[in-house]
Amino acid sequence: TTAAALEHFTVNFTITNLPYSSDLENPDSARFRATQRVMNMLLDRLLKDSSIGPVFQGCETTDFRPGSDRDQTRVDAVCTYSKEPWAAPLDRVGLYHQVSNKTRGITQLGPYSLDKDSL
């Protein structure tokens, strides 16, 4: 058997109750690493419980950026799944709707409030 190809997709959203600070720019800072761990865990939990769950490999938060005001932080993550021959192709629209439903209309991810128009 041949190994399935790994495919990536990006996830971007804005957290409205995580004030941005310069230590979130530095991947070596304790705050970046701690926030990255929490984001990865929340995204993994969310997507494992979705239609791509059986082929989902994980998400890696790659960047935090300032939002439109000082209480906001924009989050960029890259998620990976294995493109298995038996699995349906990635349905981005369907997955978006599942994520929307699991985040109360794109307003809540764990302890974080989301900008509902940012996903």
Side-chain angles (χ1 to χ4, degrees):
T1 61
T2 58
L6 292 180
E7 297 280 327
H8 306 283
F9 61 96
T10 57
V11 177
N12 316 90
F13 54 93
T14 300
I15 296 173
T16 59
N17 64 339
L18 176 66
Y20 183 78
S21 62
S22 59
D23 52 353
L24 286 174
E25 288 176 21
N26 179 2
D28 296 322
S29 77
R31 184 155 190 244
F32 181 101
R33 287 194 310 270
T35 308
Q36 180 186 47
R37 260 193 314 277
V38 171
M39 287 302 143
N40 292 349
M41 181 198 65
L42 290 170
L43 288 169
D44 286 357
R45 194 180 294 158
L46 180 69
L47 292 168
K48 276 187 176 121
D49 190 29
S50 74
S51 61
I52 69 162
V55 295
F56 178 70
Q57 301 289 313
C59 292
E60 182 71 21
T61 303
T62 56
D63 199 22
F64 298 104
R65 296 177 285 133
S68 58
D69 73 45
R70 62 187 182 84
D71 291 330
Q72 297 185 347
T73 297
R74 295 176 53 84
V75 179
D76 299 328
V78 176
C79 300
T80 305
Y81 67 98
S82 55
K83 197 169 181 180
E84 298 287 352
W86 50 264
L90 179 65
D91 173 9
R92 289 175 186 271
V93 172
L95 187 58
Y96 174 88
H97 288 295
Q98 290 172 47
V99 168
S100 176
N101 289 338
K102 293 174 191 300
T103 57
R104 294 193 182 121
I106 311 169
T107 62
Q108 200 75 41
L109 181 63
Y112 299 107
S113 298
L114 305 179
D115 175 342
K116 67 180 179 55
D117 299 318
S118 67
L119 183 66

